[in-house]
């Protein structure tokens, strides 16, 4: 939890726009509990090897989208374009709206990484989970933004605390359960126009 900030600087030429709808954060999530002498949870006793923990869980509605506490976009002059506080709470309100009744009856709800049944999330937490995440922010659905308007785009992600993400018999105070995001990358598309992009009138919209 001491290294809880991840920062990306996104740059481009005056002939380019960044396609905000394509922006994704790729990372691997790992749940650990070193105080218990184990490196993995053992939800539902699925792991039958070595020293393992008992129950460590996450909210099934939000799942692994709950790792982000604050999402901040700024430009080259450090002007804040958007800041989402309590992004994990925003995810808890918005992500369930993307699910249909059929999803709740189907495999998505058993094996998904958010919006899943509790037992589905529990099983995923027993192992390293690779993820590709669209951020819960308005700019993630923005029209493409020209680099000659913002200079550069800076994205700062603040991780939530382990106690906010994890719960369960072996995740409480003094148990030492924590999470790590590993091998973090940011991917996105740019639009090449071949000539300087005219500045949009009225600012950024989404």
């Amino acid at each position: 939890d001491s290294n809880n900030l991840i920062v990306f600087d996104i740059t481009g030429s005056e002939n380019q726009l960044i396609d905000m709808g394509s922006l994704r954060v790729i990372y691997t999530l790992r749940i650990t509990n070193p105080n218990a002498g184990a490196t993995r949870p053992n939800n539902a006793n699925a792991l039958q090897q070595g020293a393992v923990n008992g129950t460590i869980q996450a909210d099934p509605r939000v799942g692994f989208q709950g790792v982000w506490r604050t999402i901040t976009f700024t430009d080259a002059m450090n002007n804040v374009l958007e800041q989402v506080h309590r992004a994990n709470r925003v995810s808890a309100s918005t992500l369930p709206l993307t699910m249909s009744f059929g999803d709740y009856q189907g495999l998505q709800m058993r094996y998904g990484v958010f919006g899943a049944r509790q037992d589905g999330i529990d099983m995923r937490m027993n192992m390293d989970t690779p993820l590709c995440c669209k951020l819960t922010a308005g700019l993630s659905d923005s029209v493409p933004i020209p680099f000659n308007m913002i200079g550069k785009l800076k994205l700062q992600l603040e991780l939530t605390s382990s106690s906010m993400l994890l719960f369960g018999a072996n995740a409480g105070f003094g148990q030492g359960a924590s999470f790590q995001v590993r091998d973090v990358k940011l991917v996105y598309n740019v639009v090449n126009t071949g000539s300087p992009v005219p500045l949009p009138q009225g600012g950024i919209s989404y």
Side-chain angles (χ1 to χ4, degrees), residues 107-143:
L107 294 179
Q108 161 84 33
M109 304 313 294
R110 185 169 181 82
Y111 298 108
V113 294
F114 72 85
R117 285 172 26 177
Q118 186 68 65
D119 58 351
I121 290 291
D122 292 352
M123 292 300 98
R124 294 302 310 172
M125 295 181 73
N126 287 342
M127 63 194 80
D128 287 359
T129 303
L131 297 164
C132 181
C133 171
K134 181 176 181 178
L135 298 173
T136 308
L139 281 178
S140 295
D141 294 315
S142 167
V143 298

Side-chain angles (χ1 to χ4, degrees), residues 10-13 16-18 145-152 190:
I10 307 169
T11 59
S13 74
Q16 294 178 324
L17 305 90
I18 178 171
I145 300 175
F147 281 104
N148 63 353
M149 177 181 180
I150 57 175
K152 71 174 181 180
V190 295

Side-chain angles (χ1 to χ4, degrees), residues 27-32 39-47 54 56-60 62-65 107-132 165-166 178-180:
Y27 59 98
T28 298
L29 182 70
R30 172 176 290 183
I31 311 299
T32 65
T39 58
R40 295 289 188 278
N42 186 26
N43 293 315
N45 197 29
L47 304 179
I56 300 176
Q57 299 173 295
D59 186 326
V62 181
F64 303 145
Q65 288 273 35
L107 294 179
Q108 161 84 33
M109 304 313 294
R110 185 169 181 82
Y111 298 108
V113 294
F114 72 85
R117 285 172 26 177
Q118 186 68 65
D119 58 351
I121 290 291
D122 292 352
M123 292 300 98
R124 294 302 310 172
M125 295 181 73
N126 287 342
M127 63 194 80
D128 287 359
T129 303
L131 297 164
C132 181
L165 179 70
L166 307 175
S178 63
F179 72 91
Q180 303 171 356

